[in-house]
Amino acid sequence: MIQPSGPLRGTVAVGGAKNDVLPIMAACLLTEETSVIEGVPQVSDVLMMADILRELGVAVELNGPQLTITPGRYSGTTATYDLVSKMRASVCVLGPLLAKQGEAQVSIPGGCVIGPRPIDLHLKGLQALGAAISSEHGYVVAAGLLHGARVHLAGAHGSSVLATGNVMMAATLAEGTTVIEQAACEPEVADLVAFLCAMGARVEGAGTPVIRIDGVRQLHGARHQIIPDRIEAGTLMLAGAVTHGEVVIDGARADHVAALSEKLREAGVEVDVLDGAIRVRAPRRLSAVDVTTLPYPGFPTDLQAPIMALLATAQGVSVLTEKIYPERFMHVAELNRMGASIAREGASAIVKGVPRLSGVPVTAPDLRAAAALVLAALAADHQTELSGLEHLDRGYQHLEEQLRQLGAVLERVEIPSARQAEGVPGWS
Ligand code: EPZ
Protein backbone atom coordinates (compact mmCIF):
# COMPACT_ATOMS: atom_id res chain seq x y z
CA MET A 1 0.00 0.00 0.00
CA ILE A 2 1.39 3.49 -0.78
CA GLN A 3 0.40 5.51 2.26
CA PRO A 4 -0.53 9.19 2.28
CA SER A 5 2.95 10.38 3.05
CA GLY A 6 2.59 13.95 4.25
CA PRO A 7 5.07 16.56 3.05
CA LEU A 8 8.24 14.91 1.74
CA ARG A 9 11.42 16.41 3.14
CA GLY A 10 15.12 15.85 2.58
CA THR A 11 17.74 15.37 -0.10
CA VAL A 12 17.87 12.64 -2.73
CA ALA A 13 20.34 11.92 -5.54
CA VAL A 14 19.21 11.52 -9.15
CA GLY A 15 20.47 8.51 -11.16
CA GLY A 16 21.82 8.15 -14.70
CA ALA A 17 19.51 8.72 -17.67
CA LYS A 18 18.00 5.59 -19.26
CA ASN A 19 17.35 7.48 -22.50
CA ASP A 20 21.01 8.50 -22.61
CA VAL A 21 22.35 4.96 -22.11
CA LEU A 22 20.28 3.17 -24.75
CA PRO A 23 21.56 4.92 -27.91
CA ILE A 24 25.10 5.00 -26.45
CA MET A 25 24.97 1.21 -26.05
CA ALA A 26 23.94 0.99 -29.72
CA ALA A 27 26.82 3.32 -30.70
CA CYS A 28 29.29 0.76 -29.28
CA LEU A 29 28.45 -1.38 -32.34
CA LEU A 30 30.43 1.09 -34.47
CA THR A 31 33.78 -0.32 -33.32
CA GLU A 32 35.36 -3.66 -32.38
CA GLU A 33 37.06 -2.09 -29.38
CA THR A 34 35.85 -2.08 -25.78
CA SER A 35 33.87 0.83 -24.33
CA VAL A 36 33.20 1.43 -20.62
CA ILE A 37 30.11 3.40 -19.61
CA GLU A 38 29.73 4.68 -16.03
CA GLY A 39 26.66 5.82 -14.11
CA VAL A 40 24.33 3.36 -15.85
CA PRO A 41 20.88 2.88 -14.24
CA GLN A 42 19.99 -0.77 -13.69
CA VAL A 43 16.54 -0.63 -15.30
CA SER A 44 14.93 -3.30 -17.45
CA ASP A 45 15.26 -1.30 -20.67
CA VAL A 46 19.06 -1.35 -20.22
CA LEU A 47 18.98 -5.10 -19.57
CA MET A 48 16.90 -5.59 -22.74
CA MET A 49 19.35 -3.55 -24.83
CA ALA A 50 22.18 -5.65 -23.39
CA ASP A 51 20.37 -8.79 -24.59
CA ILE A 52 20.01 -7.32 -28.08
CA LEU A 53 23.77 -6.62 -28.22
CA ARG A 54 24.55 -10.12 -26.90
CA GLU A 55 22.27 -11.61 -29.58
CA LEU A 56 24.50 -9.83 -32.14
CA GLY A 57 27.56 -11.54 -30.65
CA VAL A 58 28.75 -8.60 -28.53
CA ALA A 59 30.11 -9.17 -25.00
CA VAL A 60 28.22 -7.05 -22.45
CA GLU A 61 29.01 -6.90 -18.71
CA LEU A 62 26.98 -4.85 -16.23
CA ASN A 63 28.69 -4.47 -12.83
CA GLY A 64 26.47 -2.16 -10.83
CA PRO A 65 26.57 1.22 -12.59
CA GLN A 66 29.47 0.21 -14.87
CA LEU A 67 28.76 -1.24 -18.31
CA THR A 68 31.59 -2.83 -20.31
CA ILE A 69 30.84 -3.53 -23.98
CA THR A 70 33.29 -5.48 -26.17
CA PRO A 71 31.98 -5.93 -29.70
CA GLY A 72 35.10 -7.62 -31.09
CA ARG A 73 34.55 -9.00 -34.59
CA TYR A 74 30.85 -9.63 -33.92
CA SER A 75 28.98 -11.07 -36.89
CA GLY A 76 25.33 -10.45 -36.03
CA THR A 77 23.20 -8.10 -38.07
CA THR A 78 19.68 -8.99 -36.86
CA ALA A 79 17.64 -7.59 -33.97
CA THR A 80 14.80 -10.07 -33.53
CA TYR A 81 11.10 -9.45 -32.96
CA ASP A 82 10.89 -10.88 -29.43
CA LEU A 83 13.42 -8.33 -28.15
CA VAL A 84 12.51 -5.32 -30.34
CA SER A 85 8.79 -5.79 -29.64
CA LYS A 86 9.47 -5.36 -25.92
CA MET A 87 11.48 -2.17 -26.32
CA ARG A 88 10.96 0.19 -29.21
CA ALA A 89 14.21 2.00 -28.57
CA SER A 90 16.09 -1.03 -29.90
CA VAL A 91 15.42 0.41 -33.37
CA CYS A 92 18.52 2.55 -32.74
CA VAL A 93 20.82 -0.40 -33.50
CA LEU A 94 19.78 -0.06 -37.16
CA GLY A 95 22.12 2.80 -38.04
CA PRO A 96 25.25 1.47 -36.31
CA LEU A 97 24.78 -2.06 -37.69
CA LEU A 98 24.32 -0.71 -41.20
CA ALA A 99 27.42 1.49 -40.92
CA LYS A 100 29.66 -1.20 -39.37
CA GLN A 101 28.41 -4.39 -41.03
CA GLY A 102 27.01 -3.01 -44.28
CA GLU A 103 23.63 -4.55 -43.56
CA ALA A 104 20.99 -4.84 -40.82
CA GLN A 105 17.68 -6.58 -40.23
CA VAL A 106 15.65 -5.04 -37.41
CA SER A 107 12.15 -6.11 -36.50
CA ILE A 108 9.65 -3.34 -37.18
CA PRO A 109 8.81 -2.03 -33.69
CA GLY A 110 5.11 -2.31 -32.88
CA GLY A 111 3.10 0.54 -31.49
CA CYS A 112 2.68 0.86 -27.77
CA VAL A 113 0.13 2.22 -25.34
CA ILE A 114 1.34 5.80 -25.79
CA GLY A 115 0.44 5.61 -29.47
CA PRO A 116 1.81 4.55 -32.88
CA ARG A 117 5.60 4.56 -33.00
CA PRO A 118 6.48 5.09 -36.70
CA ILE A 119 10.09 4.90 -37.91
CA ASP A 120 9.67 6.64 -41.28
CA LEU A 121 12.15 9.38 -40.35
CA HIS A 122 14.78 6.77 -39.39
CA LEU A 123 14.37 5.08 -42.79
CA LYS A 124 14.23 8.34 -44.76
CA GLY A 125 17.53 9.40 -43.20
CA LEU A 126 19.30 6.09 -43.80
CA GLN A 127 18.01 5.98 -47.38
CA ALA A 128 19.44 9.47 -47.94
CA LEU A 129 22.82 8.05 -46.84
CA GLY A 130 22.54 5.44 -49.60
CA ALA A 131 21.00 2.47 -47.82
CA ALA A 132 18.62 0.23 -49.76
CA ILE A 133 15.66 -0.28 -47.42
CA SER A 134 12.95 -2.91 -47.72
CA SER A 135 10.59 -4.67 -45.37
CA GLU A 136 10.45 -8.46 -45.32
CA HIS A 137 8.31 -10.57 -42.97
CA GLY A 138 7.99 -7.78 -40.39
CA TYR A 139 11.66 -6.79 -40.55
CA VAL A 140 13.27 -3.64 -41.86
CA VAL A 141 16.11 -4.83 -44.11
CA ALA A 142 18.80 -2.25 -44.82
CA ALA A 143 21.98 -2.70 -46.85
CA GLY A 144 24.58 -0.69 -48.72
CA LEU A 145 27.69 1.42 -48.51
CA LEU A 146 26.92 4.78 -46.95
CA HIS A 147 27.81 8.24 -48.27
CA GLY A 148 27.27 11.69 -46.78
CA ALA A 149 24.00 13.56 -47.47
CA ARG A 150 21.87 16.48 -46.35
CA VAL A 151 18.86 15.19 -44.37
CA HIS A 152 15.77 16.86 -42.90
CA LEU A 153 14.62 14.87 -39.88
CA ALA A 154 11.32 16.28 -38.66
CA GLY A 155 7.79 14.94 -39.07
CA ALA A 156 4.33 16.16 -38.15
CA HIS A 157 5.28 16.08 -34.45
CA GLY A 158 8.60 17.84 -34.84
CA SER A 159 12.08 16.38 -34.51
CA SER A 160 12.79 12.76 -33.59
CA VAL A 161 15.26 11.84 -30.84
CA LEU A 162 16.14 8.31 -31.91
CA ALA A 163 15.92 9.01 -35.65
CA THR A 164 18.50 11.76 -35.13
CA GLY A 165 20.65 9.29 -33.21
CA ASN A 166 20.28 6.53 -35.80
CA VAL A 167 21.21 8.72 -38.77
CA MET A 168 24.02 10.43 -36.87
CA MET A 169 25.58 7.11 -35.84
CA ALA A 170 25.36 5.76 -39.39
CA ALA A 171 26.92 8.94 -40.78
CA THR A 172 30.04 8.66 -38.59
CA LEU A 173 31.41 5.90 -40.87
CA ALA A 174 29.85 7.14 -44.14
CA GLU A 175 32.03 8.39 -47.00
CA GLY A 176 31.91 12.20 -46.85
CA THR A 177 29.93 14.80 -44.92
CA THR A 178 26.37 14.57 -43.64
CA VAL A 179 24.28 17.51 -42.45
CA ILE A 180 21.18 16.71 -40.41
CA GLU A 181 18.69 19.58 -40.33
CA GLN A 182 15.81 19.76 -37.84
CA ALA A 183 17.80 17.40 -35.64
CA ALA A 184 16.52 16.72 -32.12
CA CYS A 185 18.15 18.95 -29.45
CA GLU A 186 17.49 16.77 -26.39
CA PRO A 187 20.40 16.55 -23.88
CA GLU A 188 20.61 12.81 -24.61
CA VAL A 189 21.28 13.56 -28.30
CA ALA A 190 24.00 16.05 -27.31
CA ASP A 191 25.53 13.44 -25.00
CA LEU A 192 25.47 10.82 -27.78
CA VAL A 193 27.49 13.30 -29.86
CA ALA A 194 29.98 13.57 -26.97
CA PHE A 195 30.32 9.79 -26.84
CA LEU A 196 30.74 9.47 -30.62
CA CYS A 197 33.44 12.16 -30.57
CA ALA A 198 35.19 10.29 -27.73
CA MET A 199 35.17 7.27 -30.09
CA GLY A 200 36.94 9.39 -32.73
CA ALA A 201 33.94 10.53 -34.74
CA ARG A 202 33.83 14.06 -36.17
CA VAL A 203 30.47 15.54 -35.18
CA GLU A 204 29.54 19.22 -34.64
CA GLY A 205 26.35 20.97 -33.59
CA ALA A 206 25.43 18.93 -30.53
CA GLY A 207 22.22 20.22 -28.97
CA THR A 208 21.34 22.36 -31.99
CA PRO A 209 18.93 21.65 -34.85
CA VAL A 210 21.81 21.36 -37.36
CA ILE A 211 24.35 18.57 -36.86
CA ARG A 212 27.33 18.07 -39.20
CA ILE A 213 29.14 14.73 -39.37
CA ASP A 214 32.36 14.17 -41.32
CA GLY A 215 32.70 10.44 -41.90
CA VAL A 216 35.88 8.67 -40.76
CA ARG A 217 37.29 5.27 -41.60
CA GLN A 218 36.92 3.71 -38.17
CA LEU A 219 36.14 4.43 -34.55
CA HIS A 220 37.70 3.19 -31.30
CA GLY A 221 36.37 2.37 -27.84
CA ALA A 222 35.80 5.10 -25.25
CA ARG A 223 34.97 5.69 -21.58
CA HIS A 224 31.88 7.76 -20.81
CA GLN A 225 29.82 9.01 -17.86
CA ILE A 226 26.03 8.99 -18.36
CA ILE A 227 24.21 12.31 -17.76
CA PRO A 228 21.68 12.65 -14.91
CA ASP A 229 18.15 11.50 -15.74
CA ARG A 230 16.14 14.70 -16.26
CA ILE A 231 12.85 12.79 -16.25
CA GLU A 232 13.67 11.10 -12.95
CA ALA A 233 14.76 14.49 -11.55
CA GLY A 234 11.47 15.99 -12.73
CA THR A 235 9.51 13.13 -11.18
CA LEU A 236 11.23 13.73 -7.81
CA MET A 237 10.60 17.48 -8.06
CA LEU A 238 6.92 16.73 -8.63
CA ALA A 239 6.91 14.36 -5.62
CA GLY A 240 8.04 17.27 -3.44
CA ALA A 241 5.44 19.56 -4.99
CA VAL A 242 2.46 17.20 -4.81
CA THR A 243 3.08 16.52 -1.10
CA HIS A 244 3.63 20.24 -0.33
CA GLY A 245 7.06 19.39 1.06
CA GLU A 246 10.61 20.63 0.66
CA VAL A 247 13.00 18.40 -1.27
CA VAL A 248 16.49 18.81 -2.74
CA ILE A 249 17.38 16.75 -5.83
CA ASP A 250 21.13 16.34 -5.82
CA GLY A 251 22.81 16.07 -9.24
CA ALA A 252 19.86 17.46 -11.20
CA ARG A 253 20.88 19.74 -14.10
CA ALA A 254 18.82 22.97 -13.88
CA ASP A 255 19.10 23.58 -17.65
CA HIS A 256 17.66 20.11 -18.36
CA VAL A 257 14.51 20.69 -16.28
CA ALA A 258 13.97 24.39 -17.06
CA ALA A 259 10.59 23.89 -18.74
CA LEU A 260 9.24 21.96 -15.73
CA SER A 261 10.71 24.47 -13.27
CA GLU A 262 8.95 27.30 -15.10
CA LYS A 263 5.58 25.50 -14.95
CA LEU A 264 6.03 24.66 -11.27
CA ARG A 265 6.79 28.30 -10.44
CA GLU A 266 3.70 29.34 -12.40
CA ALA A 267 1.69 26.94 -10.23
CA GLY A 268 3.06 28.49 -7.02
CA VAL A 269 5.95 26.13 -6.28
CA GLU A 270 9.28 27.62 -5.19
CA VAL A 271 12.06 26.18 -7.34
CA ASP A 272 15.63 27.20 -6.46
CA VAL A 273 18.80 26.30 -8.33
CA LEU A 274 21.52 25.34 -5.85
CA ASP A 275 25.09 24.30 -6.55
CA GLY A 276 24.65 21.05 -8.48
CA ALA A 277 21.14 20.54 -7.12
CA ILE A 278 17.59 21.82 -7.30
CA ARG A 279 15.32 22.61 -4.33
CA VAL A 280 11.53 22.46 -4.53
CA ARG A 281 9.20 23.93 -1.88
CA ALA A 282 5.42 23.87 -2.14
CA PRO A 283 3.90 25.12 1.12
CA ARG A 284 0.30 25.53 0.01
CA ARG A 285 -2.38 24.41 -2.47
CA LEU A 286 -1.16 25.08 -6.00
CA SER A 287 -2.82 26.85 -8.93
CA ALA A 288 -3.81 25.31 -12.22
CA VAL A 289 -1.47 25.84 -15.20
CA ASP A 290 -1.71 24.91 -18.88
CA VAL A 291 0.99 22.60 -20.28
CA THR A 292 1.83 21.78 -23.90
CA THR A 293 4.46 19.14 -24.62
CA LEU A 294 7.10 20.01 -27.22
CA PRO A 295 10.53 18.83 -28.35
CA TYR A 296 13.38 19.98 -26.08
CA PRO A 297 13.77 22.61 -24.67
CA GLY A 298 9.95 22.60 -24.53
CA PHE A 299 8.00 20.76 -21.83
CA PRO A 300 8.93 17.05 -22.10
CA THR A 301 6.19 14.58 -23.05
CA ASP A 302 7.67 12.12 -20.52
CA LEU A 303 6.60 14.47 -17.67
CA GLN A 304 3.07 15.07 -18.98
CA ALA A 305 1.55 12.22 -16.95
CA PRO A 306 3.53 13.06 -13.78
CA ILE A 307 2.56 16.75 -13.84
CA MET A 308 -1.06 15.75 -14.45
CA ALA A 309 -0.95 13.96 -11.07
CA LEU A 310 0.05 17.29 -9.52
CA LEU A 311 -2.55 19.37 -11.38
CA ALA A 312 -5.33 16.92 -10.47
CA THR A 313 -5.48 18.63 -7.04
CA ALA A 314 -4.44 22.16 -8.06
CA GLN A 315 -6.91 25.06 -7.72
CA GLY A 316 -8.70 25.67 -11.05
CA VAL A 317 -8.71 24.10 -14.49
CA SER A 318 -5.51 23.02 -16.32
CA VAL A 319 -5.32 22.08 -19.99
CA LEU A 320 -2.60 19.58 -20.91
CA THR A 321 -1.95 19.27 -24.66
CA GLU A 322 0.20 16.52 -26.20
CA LYS A 323 2.02 17.66 -29.33
CA ILE A 324 4.38 14.67 -29.34
CA TYR A 325 2.17 11.64 -28.63
CA PRO A 326 -1.48 12.73 -28.99
CA GLU A 327 -2.70 9.40 -27.54
CA ARG A 328 -0.50 9.49 -24.43
CA PHE A 329 -3.36 9.65 -21.90
CA MET A 330 -3.71 6.11 -20.56
CA HIS A 331 -3.18 7.54 -17.07
CA VAL A 332 -6.38 9.67 -17.21
CA ALA A 333 -8.74 6.74 -16.49
CA GLU A 334 -6.64 5.60 -13.52
CA LEU A 335 -6.38 9.10 -12.05
CA ASN A 336 -10.15 9.49 -12.46
CA ARG A 337 -10.59 6.23 -10.52
CA MET A 338 -8.73 8.01 -7.72
CA GLY A 339 -11.28 10.82 -7.81
CA ALA A 340 -9.66 13.19 -10.27
CA SER A 341 -11.89 15.11 -12.69
CA ILE A 342 -10.15 14.87 -16.06
CA ALA A 343 -11.78 14.86 -19.50
CA ARG A 344 -10.14 14.03 -22.82
CA GLU A 345 -10.60 16.40 -25.73
CA GLY A 346 -8.60 15.12 -28.72
CA ALA A 347 -4.90 15.67 -28.01
CA SER A 348 -5.73 17.55 -24.79
CA ALA A 349 -6.84 16.65 -21.27
CA ILE A 350 -8.92 19.13 -19.26
CA VAL A 351 -8.02 18.76 -15.58
CA LYS A 352 -10.44 20.26 -13.07
CA GLY A 353 -8.62 20.41 -9.73
CA VAL A 354 -10.27 18.55 -6.81
CA PRO A 355 -9.31 18.99 -3.15
CA ARG A 356 -7.84 15.49 -2.69
CA LEU A 357 -7.57 12.15 -4.48
CA SER A 358 -8.65 8.86 -2.90
CA GLY A 359 -6.41 5.84 -2.49
CA VAL A 360 -7.93 2.95 -4.51
CA PRO A 361 -6.49 -0.08 -6.37
CA VAL A 362 -5.02 1.19 -9.66
CA THR A 363 -2.97 -0.44 -12.40
CA ALA A 364 -0.15 1.28 -14.28
CA PRO A 365 -0.60 1.06 -18.08
CA ASP A 366 2.86 2.39 -19.06
CA LEU A 367 6.13 3.71 -17.64
CA ARG A 368 5.34 7.40 -17.09
CA ALA A 369 1.72 6.68 -16.11
CA ALA A 370 3.14 4.44 -13.38
CA ALA A 371 5.21 7.37 -12.10
CA ALA A 372 2.13 9.61 -12.19
CA LEU A 373 0.12 7.12 -10.12
CA VAL A 374 2.89 6.91 -7.51
CA LEU A 375 2.82 10.70 -7.19
CA ALA A 376 -0.97 10.75 -6.94
CA ALA A 377 -0.89 8.04 -4.27
CA LEU A 378 1.60 9.95 -2.11
CA ALA A 379 -0.97 12.75 -1.64
CA ALA A 380 -4.17 10.67 -1.63
CA ASP A 381 -6.48 10.60 1.43
CA HIS A 382 -5.64 6.99 2.31
CA GLN A 383 -3.59 4.04 1.13
CA THR A 384 -3.32 3.09 -2.56
CA GLU A 385 -2.65 -0.34 -4.07
CA LEU A 386 -0.62 0.13 -7.27
CA SER A 387 -0.10 -2.80 -9.67
CA GLY A 388 1.82 -3.09 -12.94
CA LEU A 389 5.17 -2.07 -11.49
CA GLU A 390 7.00 -3.85 -14.31
CA HIS A 391 6.30 -0.66 -16.28
CA LEU A 392 7.91 1.49 -13.58
CA ASP A 393 10.97 -0.77 -13.49
CA ARG A 394 11.66 0.00 -17.17
CA GLY A 395 12.77 3.52 -16.39
CA TYR A 396 13.22 4.05 -12.65
CA GLN A 397 15.95 2.08 -10.88
CA HIS A 398 15.05 2.90 -7.29
CA LEU A 399 12.16 5.36 -7.11
CA GLU A 400 10.74 3.64 -4.00
CA GLU A 401 14.05 3.96 -2.09
CA GLN A 402 14.41 7.57 -3.21
CA LEU A 403 10.88 8.40 -2.02
CA ARG A 404 11.41 6.51 1.28
CA GLN A 405 14.54 8.61 1.81
CA LEU A 406 12.24 11.66 1.65
CA GLY A 407 9.78 10.20 4.16
CA ALA A 408 7.32 8.37 1.91
CA VAL A 409 5.69 5.21 3.27
CA LEU A 410 5.44 2.51 0.62
CA GLU A 411 6.25 -1.14 0.29
CA ARG A 412 6.46 -3.53 -2.68
CA VAL A 413 4.82 -6.93 -2.18
CA GLU A 414 3.05 -9.57 -4.26
CA ILE A 415 -0.68 -8.80 -4.27
CA PRO A 416 -2.61 -12.12 -4.21
CA SER A 417 -5.88 -10.82 -5.56
CA ALA A 418 -8.23 -11.46 -8.48
CA ARG A 419 -7.47 -7.93 -9.60
CA GLN A 420 -3.86 -8.78 -10.05
CA ALA A 421 -2.52 -10.91 -12.94
CA GLU A 422 -0.79 -13.96 -11.39
CA GLY A 423 2.62 -13.08 -9.92
CA VAL A 424 2.75 -9.52 -11.26
CA PRO A 425 4.52 -7.44 -8.57
CA GLY A 426 2.61 -4.59 -7.01
CA TRP A 427 3.00 -2.18 -4.09
CA SER A 428 0.77 -3.09 -1.21
C1 EPZ B 1 12.47 9.16 -27.29
O1 EPZ B 1 11.67 8.26 -28.04
C2 EPZ B 1 12.37 8.68 -25.84
N1 EPZ B 1 12.86 7.31 -25.75
C3 EPZ B 1 10.92 8.74 -25.37
O2 EPZ B 1 10.92 8.37 -23.99
C4 EPZ B 1 10.43 10.17 -25.50
O3 EPZ B 1 9.08 10.23 -25.11
C5 EPZ B 1 10.59 10.63 -26.95
O4 EPZ B 1 11.97 10.49 -27.36
C6 EPZ B 1 10.18 12.08 -27.14
O5 EPZ B 1 10.97 12.90 -26.34
C7 EPZ B 1 14.19 7.08 -25.76
O6 EPZ B 1 14.99 7.99 -25.87
C8 EPZ B 1 14.62 5.66 -25.60
P1 EPZ B 1 10.71 10.51 -31.13
P2 EPZ B 1 11.71 8.33 -29.67
O7 EPZ B 1 11.23 9.78 -32.33
O8 EPZ B 1 13.03 8.80 -30.13
C9 EPZ B 1 7.23 10.84 -34.26
C10 EPZ B 1 10.18 7.23 -22.08
O9 EPZ B 1 9.11 7.32 -21.45
N2 EPZ B 1 8.10 10.06 -35.15
O10 EPZ B 1 11.45 11.72 -30.65
O11 EPZ B 1 11.19 7.05 -30.16
C11 EPZ B 1 6.76 10.04 -33.05
O12 EPZ B 1 5.62 9.27 -33.36
C12 EPZ B 1 10.17 7.20 -23.60
O13 EPZ B 1 11.32 7.20 -21.54
C13 EPZ B 1 7.73 9.92 -36.49
O14 EPZ B 1 6.69 10.41 -36.92
O15 EPZ B 1 10.64 9.48 -29.93
C14 EPZ B 1 6.46 11.13 -32.06
O16 EPZ B 1 5.18 11.67 -32.33
C15 EPZ B 1 8.77 7.14 -24.17
N3 EPZ B 1 8.54 9.20 -37.31
C16 EPZ B 1 7.52 12.19 -32.36
O17 EPZ B 1 7.99 11.90 -33.69
C17 EPZ B 1 9.71 8.64 -36.88
O18 EPZ B 1 10.43 8.01 -37.69
C18 EPZ B 1 8.72 12.18 -31.43
O19 EPZ B 1 9.16 10.84 -31.35
C19 EPZ B 1 10.07 8.80 -35.52
C20 EPZ B 1 9.26 9.52 -34.67
Side-chain angles (χ1 to χ4, degrees), residues 136-394:
E136 290 163 28
H137 311 299
Y139 280 76
V140 169
V141 179
L145 273 181
L146 303 181
H147 55 70
R150 180 174 286 275
V151 194
H152 283 261
L153 272 191
H157 300 282
S159 52
S160 163
V161 173
L162 289 180
T164 301
N166 241 337
V167 175
M168 190 162 66
M169 289 188 277
T172 59
L173 295 178
E175 182 77 35
T177 297
T178 297
V179 175
I180 300 176
E181 294 179 345
Q182 298 169 292
C185 301
E186 272 69 4
E188 294 77 19
V189 175
D191 197 50
L192 175 60
V193 172
F195 181 64
L196 291 169
C197 290
M199 295 175 80
R202 291 167 55 196
V203 188
E204 290 164 6
T208 78
V210 181
I211 297 180
R212 176 194 164 104
I213 305 106
D214 293 313
V216 294
R217 278 182 41 70
Q218 68 178 15
L219 298 179
H220 51 74
R223 293 187 78 88
H224 192 74
Q225 174 72 38
I226 291 302
I227 60 174
D229 189 322
R230 60 195 171 97
I231 306 303
E232 179 182 282
T235 306
L236 293 166
M237 289 166 70
L238 286 160
V242 77
T243 59
H244 303 288
E246 175 170 340
V247 301
V248 174
I249 292 95
D250 206 14
R253 289 266 308 259
D255 52 338
H256 289 179
V257 292
L260 172 65
S261 301
E262 186 188 316
K263 281 299 163 189
L264 287 178
R265 291 187 183 112
E266 218 182 295
V269 177
E270 291 168 46
V271 181
D272 300 300
V273 178
L274 309 178
D275 181 17
I278 290 185
R279 180 178 59 211
V280 165
R281 283 185 284 196
R284 62 193 182 289
R285 192 164 182 214
L286 304 174
S287 318
V289 293
D290 293 342
V291 176
T292 298
T293 66
L294 289 168
Y296 191 87
F299 192 92
T301 173
D302 294 349
L303 287 176
Q304 179 259 107
I307 200 169
M308 189 184 285
L310 175 73
L311 297 176
T313 55
Q315 201 125 28
V317 178
S318 307
V319 178
L320 280 80
T321 302
E322 256 295 351
K323 293 279 193 194
I324 308 294
Y325 294 114
E327 296 305 310
R328 194 176 198 170
F329 291 111
M330 295 291 284
H331 41 288
V332 168
E334 296 300 307
L335 287 170
N336 282 341
R337 270 179 52 75
M338 295 180 76
S341 172
I342 306 168
R344 272 290 302 276
E345 270 181 31
S348 294
I350 316 300
V351 182
K352 289 194 184 75
V354 297
R356 284 203 85 173
L357 298 183
S358 302
V360 298
V362 283
T363 302
D366 65 72
L367 165 56
R368 305 304 175 182
L373 291 168
V374 172
L375 297 182
L378 291 175
D381 58 5
H382 62 276
Q383 60 192 19
T384 299
E385 182 184 292
L386 173 60
S387 307
L389 297 186
E390 70 280 11
H391 293 293
L392 197 74
D393 295 341
R394 296 192 54 159

